[in-house]
Amino acid sequence: MTIEVEVREVAQRARVASRTLALATRAQKDATLQAMAEAMLARAEEILAANAEDVARAEADGTPANIIDRLRLTTDRLEGMAQGLRDVAGLADPVGEVVRGSVLANGLELRQVRVPFGVVGMIYEARPNVTADAAGICLKSGNAVLLRGSSSARSSNAAIVTVLRDAVAASGLDADIVQLVPGDTHDSVKALMRARGDVDVLIPRGGAGLIQSVVNESTVPVIETGVGNCHVYVDRSADLDKALAIVLNAKTHRTSVCNAAESLLVHADVADVFLPRVVAALQAEGVTLHGDDAFGAFDGVEPATDDDWEREYLSLDLAARVVPDLDEALDHIRRWSSQHTDAIVTEDQGAARRFVAEVDSAAVLVNASTRFTDGGEFGFGAEIGISTQKLHARGPMGLPEMTSTKYVVIGDGHIR
């Protein structure tokens, strides 16, 4: 049996399971999510043991520390994953929500209602927490999910999916609403990307190479989640204490995530005062600055190149530049931003309005850290990803973004 046939068979089982899930009540789905959370904690030892295998293999292969950080599970992280499932259980069920409705002039009743996609494929890199998040969000939104994590996390993902499927089956739902995609090679990823008709939508999560490969090669519709080259711009009217706290948080709170700041822009009018403070503070936290001539005047700052301006470091590195005015800051962001999250620190409402209006990113923040671009921080519960595209969904994708809509039309013998 070829890998393409294997993937198709898994997808077809998911299609059958999705039809039964579409009939499940909110109470059934919520009870299943709670059972999944409890099962993860009850069987934490086997999940952590499997994860230890992945981490040891990654360390032996010389995997960078930031990737190992994403891969590693701890008791606290496992508890966070379980809590994420409970949080999703507590959220409103989007399925059946009436988006709009009316009675037409001819008496027809018209409603646009939310419905599941059906079968969702997830392609993601070394983050086993995504396995639980995706399973929970897809279940609550009425979708079956096919999970294709990276081979570096194969032991962790297999253990998590086994635990989740057992909990789903024990709760009376079809276990095939949560499945791993078979195979460890890129052929299985390609097969999933070609499973149009059996898979309704693909969501890639990972680096630029993975995302572009899925977008360019897939025949299945893709919701593009984006690379996070996020900027913080410190305006001439910024409160510099606020600015320092925001820059430090955005860069150093957690470096291996897509909403971490990767570029810093500082208005020339405050550079003389702010640069000594921010350079010292960042370097004290272990950050390597890649700067223009103004930043380069400080010891330990490396010269910035175009590669630095466009790069998502996911590490304790930060590109930094002084700009003469807001216009130049906006031009820099238009050229180099990945349209994920960009922030301005300013006390000038006019500058804030311009920044919000002209920066074309999924999230634009005023006087707040880029680290807030997150489904949990936005109150959506665990997110399935942050979309940087403009069709269907943009920004953190919670439960409503995991649905489509259909029109329900009710008549009484109406003919046209």
Side-chain angles (χ1 to χ4, degrees), residues 88-315:
V88 172
L91 296 171
D93 190 339
V95 178
E97 176 191 347
V98 178
V99 177
R100 58 182 172 179
S102 63
V103 177
L104 305 181
N106 61 6
L108 283 174
E109 296 179 10
L110 176 69
R111 296 195 306 276
Q112 183 185 19
V113 299
R114 293 196 182 279
V115 295
F117 287 126
V119 178
V120 174
M122 286 290 300
I123 301 174
Y124 53 105
E125 293 179 332
R127 294 186 66 171
N129 63 295
V130 173
T131 304
D133 288 349
I137 291 176
C138 286
L139 189 152
K140 183 65 178 264
S141 56
N143 297 292
V145 64
L146 300 176
L147 299 156
R148 180 52 170 89
S150 62
S151 58
S152 61
R154 61 180 178 268
S155 298
S156 305
N157 292 336
I160 293 168
V161 169
T162 296
V163 170
L164 296 180
R165 283 173 56 86
D166 289 349
V168 169
S171 298
L173 296 178
D174 190 334
D176 283 341
I177 60 179
V178 181
Q179 296 183 78
L180 276 183
V181 175
D184 284 332
T185 69
H186 191 61
D187 288 342
S188 69
V189 179
K190 286 184 175 179
L192 183 60
M193 292 191 292
R194 289 194 293 261
R196 190 178 181 95
D198 291 321
V199 179
D200 294 292
V201 65
L202 284 180
I203 302 174
R205 282 188 64 173
L210 168 70
I211 292 166
Q212 285 308 307
S213 174
V214 175
V215 170
N216 293 332
E217 298 180 34
S218 179
T219 62
V220 177
V222 176
I223 298 177
E224 183 175 352
T225 62
V227 170
N229 183 8
C230 305
H231 294 72
V232 177
Y233 165 57
V234 179
D235 189 41
R236 65 186 299 179
S237 68
D239 178 317
L240 298 185
D241 290 333
K242 287 182 187 176
L244 186 63
I246 287 169
V247 171
L248 286 173
N249 181 261
K251 178 68 261 181
T252 68
H253 182 252
R254 190 175 178 193
T255 59
S256 63
V257 289
C258 60
N259 58 17
E262 306 289 19
S263 294
L264 169 64
L265 304 175
V266 179
H267 195 291
D269 288 359
V270 296
D272 288 346
V273 176
F274 188 63
L275 262 58
R277 295 182 63 189
V278 75
V279 169
L282 287 166
Q283 289 180 338
E285 294 294 327
V287 176
T288 298
L289 285 156
H290 305 260
D292 64 357
D293 289 343
F295 277 91
F298 296 86
D299 290 341
V301 176
E302 300 181 0
T305 66
D306 283 357
D307 179 64
D308 292 299
W309 302 131
E310 71 179 354
R311 189 171 173 186
E312 183 188 35
Y313 291 109
L314 301 176
S315 62

